[in-house]
């Protein structure tokens, strides 16, 4: 049975309660539920991210492109969590719609589904429309911007710093506290005449309320700055801070005898707090390399034990385990260090 509520179509199929934008039922669902298997079989869907608690697919249909985030309930902790809170898909879906209503540029939520269960909710799906011609900000800065010729590259870099400052000011004034604010959760699009568009994504870890006060804003800025302080020069970081403070001058915490010049006093504080946060992060991460997680994995083979990052291709890793000395015999290897204690080579 279908009904319209809050401009969404409600439908239950194969044990999942769906809420979706009108006109998408036939595109997304069949009598067996979400058409994900059909899309995979037809080569229209592929996995872009996979972990123990979720799988993310990209789906390219003739007239619609979107992402499907499948949230799993893999363990007891996940199940207990959903006894007390809504499903992850529901939380993110509602945050996306609220952020859009508050004027924040973000992804478009198309649909969500929650598995019916005797107690709480089970697995859930979130479907969001792709943002065409966008790229994560960290990838743009590291791999795309350096390919542009001067003076275009410098002009874009400076504009980007200013536009990012304005965007984060809008986010904070709109009452969005993003608990996972970093460059990978910001998308950038370069339009005609190098017009810059920025979007905030991954809104699961977002708390929505009144405009952020200065203490909340500062902590959120420190979180964002942890990545930029290592990769972006001081001049561009100063452009960001100035644009942010100018955009937020109507906030009550901004009113002081020095007006917008306050950013000159706050900047050293934010920079120092960013370094402290990075040092804590690196200290905690040192221990991660010794256990199995999404970043590292333990290795074991006859006569040896070790550790590796998860990005290493499994086939290359298997070859290394079969013959750990093979890289040192490779004619393409370049010796960086050869001493009694260690030999270090570079492979290309």
């Amino acid at each position: 049975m279908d009904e319209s509520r809050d401009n969404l179509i409600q439908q239950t199929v194969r044990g999942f309660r769906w809420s979706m934008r009108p006109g998408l039922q036939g595109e997304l669902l069949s009598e067996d539920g979400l058409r994900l298997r059909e899309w995979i079989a037809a080569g229209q869907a592929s996995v872009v991210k996979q972990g123990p608690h979720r799988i993310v697919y990209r789906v390219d249909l003739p007239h619609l492109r979107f992402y499907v985030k499948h949230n799993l309930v893999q363990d007891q902790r996940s199940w207990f969590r959903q006894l007390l809170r809504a499903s992850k898909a529901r939380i993110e879906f509602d945050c996306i719609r609220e952020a859009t209503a508050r004027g924040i540029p973000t992804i478009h939520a198309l649909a969500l589904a929650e598995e019916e269960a005797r107690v709480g909710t089970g697995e859930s799906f979130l479907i969001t429309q792709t943002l065409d011609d966008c790229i994560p900000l960290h990838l743009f800065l590291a791999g795309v911007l350096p390919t542009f010729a001067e003076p275009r590259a410098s002009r874009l870099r400076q504009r980007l710093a200013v536009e990012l400052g304005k965007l984060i000011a809008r986010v904070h004034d709109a009452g969005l506290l993003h608990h996972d604010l970093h460059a990978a959760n910001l998308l950038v699009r370069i339009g005609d005449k190098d017009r810059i568009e920025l979007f905030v994504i991954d809104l699961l870890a977002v708390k929505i309320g009144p405009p952020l006060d200065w203490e909340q804003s500062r902590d959120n800025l420190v979180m964002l700055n942890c990545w930029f302080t290592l990769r972006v020069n001081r001049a561009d970081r100063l452009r960001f801070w100035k644009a942010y403070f100018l955009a937020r001058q109507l906030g009550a915490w901004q009113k002081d005898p020095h007006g917008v010049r306050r950013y000159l006093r706050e900047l050293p504080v934010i920079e120092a707090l960013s370094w402290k946060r990075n040092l804590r992060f690196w200290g905690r991460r040192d221990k991660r390399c010794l256990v199995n997680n999404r970043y590292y994995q333990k290795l074991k083979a006859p006569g040896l034990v070790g550790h590796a990052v998860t990005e290493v291709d499994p086939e290359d890793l298997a070859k290394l385990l079969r013959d750990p000395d093979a890289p040192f015999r490779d004619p393409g290897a370049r010796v960086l260090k050869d001493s009694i204690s260690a030999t270090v080579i570079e492979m290309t």
Side-chain angles (χ1 to χ4, degrees):
M1 178 178 179
D2 296 357
E3 65 183 24
S4 178
R5 186 179 64 193
D6 193 24
N7 201 32
L8 297 174
I9 302 299
Q10 311 296 321
Q11 183 174 357
T12 299
V13 183
R14 293 290 182 176
F16 280 86
R17 300 187 302 272
W18 284 88
S19 300
M20 67 185 72
R21 292 176 180 259
L24 293 177
Q25 302 99 304
E27 196 84 56
L28 301 179
L29 304 177
S30 69
E31 60 182 11
D32 294 321
L34 185 64
R35 297 180 181 272
L36 186 56
R37 291 184 179 179
E38 296 178 22
W39 300 328
I40 293 174
Q44 296 173 310
S46 59
V47 176
V48 295
K49 185 182 295 186
Q50 185 168 1
H53 299 294
R54 69 176 179 184
I55 306 174
V56 181
Y57 304 86
R58 179 185 171 97
V59 181
D60 292 284
L61 303 182
H63 306 295
L64 185 64
R65 293 184 294 275
F66 53 89
Y67 289 98
V68 177
K69 183 184 291 186
H70 184 188
N71 296 299
L72 308 171
V73 182
Q74 187 187 32
D75 51 34
Q76 208 171 43
R77 180 181 178 183
S78 301
W79 184 80
F80 275 117
R81 175 193 171 279
Q82 295 192 173
L83 288 178
L84 304 175
R85 300 173 60 186
S87 69
K88 290 184 177 180
R90 169 64 67 181
I91 293 172
E92 190 166 3
F93 185 86
D94 290 344
C95 284
I96 291 171
R97 300 191 79 205
E98 182 62 28
T100 301
R102 296 187 181 206
I104 302 303
T106 185
I107 52 179
H108 299 293
L110 299 180
L112 76 92
E114 297 171 301
E115 185 180 21
E116 296 179 318
R118 292 182 179 179
V119 181
T121 58
E123 298 180 0
S124 62
F125 290 92
L126 174 68
I127 299 180
T128 57
Q129 191 169 359
T130 60
L131 289 167
D132 294 334
D133 302 320
C134 285
I135 183 171
L137 182 56
H138 70 297
L139 297 180
F140 177 81
L141 292 174
V144 177
L145 187 60
T147 67
F148 294 163
E150 294 291 355
R152 185 191 181 200
S154 294
R155 185 172 61 247
L156 271 174
R157 189 186 69 250
Q158 293 167 11
R159 288 182 183 175
L160 189 56
V162 173
E163 292 303 318
L164 182 58
K166 293 178 180 178
L167 172 66
I168 302 304
R170 287 177 60 188
V171 170
H172 289 175
D173 271 337
L176 271 68
L177 179 58
H178 200 311
H179 291 290
D180 195 21
L181 187 63
H182 53 76
N185 283 338
L186 297 163
L187 301 182
V188 59
R189 176 194 288 154
I190 306 301
D192 295 337
K193 298 181 180 179
D194 284 344
R195 183 170 62 91
I196 294 173
E197 294 181 90
L198 291 167
F199 304 87
V200 185
I201 63 171
D202 200 1
L203 301 188
L204 175 62
V206 168
K207 180 180 178 181
I208 298 179
L212 273 59
D213 60 28
W214 174 236
E215 184 176 356
Q216 292 174 313
S217 302
R218 185 193 60 199
D219 291 345
N220 212 217
L221 290 168
V222 168
M223 179 185 298
L224 180 65
N225 192 48
C226 283
W227 187 89
F228 288 93
T229 195
L230 301 173
R231 300 167 178 87
V232 175
N233 64 49
R234 290 185 178 183
D236 287 331
R237 297 206 303 277
L238 181 60
R239 289 186 178 93
F240 168 89
W241 299 124
K242 184 175 181 180
Y244 175 86
F245 275 81
L246 284 170
R248 291 207 70 190
Q249 60 182 315
L250 297 179
W253 54 266
Q254 180 68 21
K255 297 177 181 178
D256 60 42
H258 300 283
V260 296
R261 292 184 182 276
R262 178 173 177 176
Y263 75 90
L264 294 174
R265 299 200 315 275
E266 297 291 351
L267 178 55
V269 176
I270 292 174
E271 294 276 290
L273 290 173
S274 300
W275 274 110
K276 288 182 180 180
R277 184 185 175 99
N278 273 335
L279 291 173
R280 289 197 303 269
F281 173 78
W282 295 328
R284 292 193 302 267
R285 190 153 184 163
D286 282 345
K287 300 177 182 179
R288 292 187 183 184
C289 64
L290 302 179
V291 296
N292 289 321
N293 51 51
R294 62 175 176 170
Y295 301 107
Y296 306 100
Q297 55 186 316
K298 290 183 177 180
L299 304 178
K300 188 173 182 179
L304 65 88
V305 293
H307 306 271
V309 295
T310 53
E311 288 88 350
V312 177
D313 185 273
E315 293 185 5
D316 293 338
L317 204 54
K319 292 178 182 178
L320 184 62
L321 289 175
R322 287 194 297 268
D323 187 0
D325 294 323
F328 296 91
R329 298 192 298 267
D330 192 306
R334 185 167 71 93
V335 178
L336 301 179
K337 177 182 178 181
D338 189 7
S339 66
I340 297 176
S341 60
T343 300
V344 182
I345 63 173
E346 180 182 59
M347 301 292 293
T348 58

